[in-house]
Amino acid sequence: TVSGDGSFTVGWNNDVSGVGSTAIGASTSTVSGNTSTSIGSLNDVSSDNSIAMGVNNTVEHSNSIVIDVAGAGSSLTGAGSIGNSIIASSASTIAAPAMFNNIVGGSNNEISDPVAHSGLVSSGSSKITGVTAYSTIVGAQSSEIFNGSFSHMIGGSSSYIYNSGFAAIIGGSQSRIGNLTTTNRSLYCSILGGNLNTIETSDIVNEGNTIIGGDTNTIEDTVNRSTILGGQNITATQDDTVYVPNLVLNPTIVPTSSIDTAGEEGQISHD
């Protein structure tokens, strides 16, 4: 049926009540938003200026789009959101009050809460939630950013950025920056590769910490500007410190000034 002015449908059992709206496809789609479009079947578009393409998709956000090529259905739910899109992703959701976010590819992904200007790309069972802006997850599995503005995760699996700003996890598995239960933030921290590595935070804001590779390494919540390089079961407890399990130095002689040709061997202190 078509009841909206300037609207039309092509197919069977579609219902178009929005003004200037369209339903094209096999059957049983509903378009109640104005100047909106459904292409496919079993779609429900209730917002204005929006598009649903595929099967069993829901669009409740204005100026938004869902394109589901897998047929499992994706949804933009909750009135009041604007400018979100889900493209070529299966069974993914963006929920209000999220605005201006994107999910591209992958499956079973979620963006919800007041998230803005963020995105999930080619990931699976991952999500961006909390008060978050300008953050991304790319090519990750079962990972999450919560309250992590300007934070990014690339690759890897089962890793988390909680209550952190300007944070990054690249590759690796089962790693974490920040703590889910604290309101304070880790700032400018990163984990590159490795497994089961953690940068903690609690009642004190910490910043500038990095873990590169290794296994089951931890930087404690009171530490700032320290780094762990490789190794396993290392715990960083001091500021401005680099932790290394074993260090091999090239024995080449280093000049002591610009006019030395041979120079002298350097020194390194250790505990």
Side-chain angles (χ1 to χ4, degrees), residues 217-228:
N217 295 318
T218 301
I219 296 180
E220 291 190 345
D221 56 353
T222 57
V223 175
N224 295 278
R225 303 172 301 278
S226 289
T227 298
I228 299 175

Side-chain angles (χ1 to χ4, degrees), residues 27 36 41 71 84-85 105 127 133 210:
S27 67
S36 293
S41 301
N84 296 304
S85 65
K127 56 186 178 179
T210 302

Side-chain angles (χ1 to χ4, degrees), residues 2 9 25 61 104 159 170 216 231 238 242 250 254 264-265 271:
V2 177
T9 181
H61 301 174
V104 180
S159 293
I170 300 176
T216 321
Q238 296 181 344
V242 177
N250 189 318
V254 180
E264 304 167 355
E265 293 188 12
D271 57 13

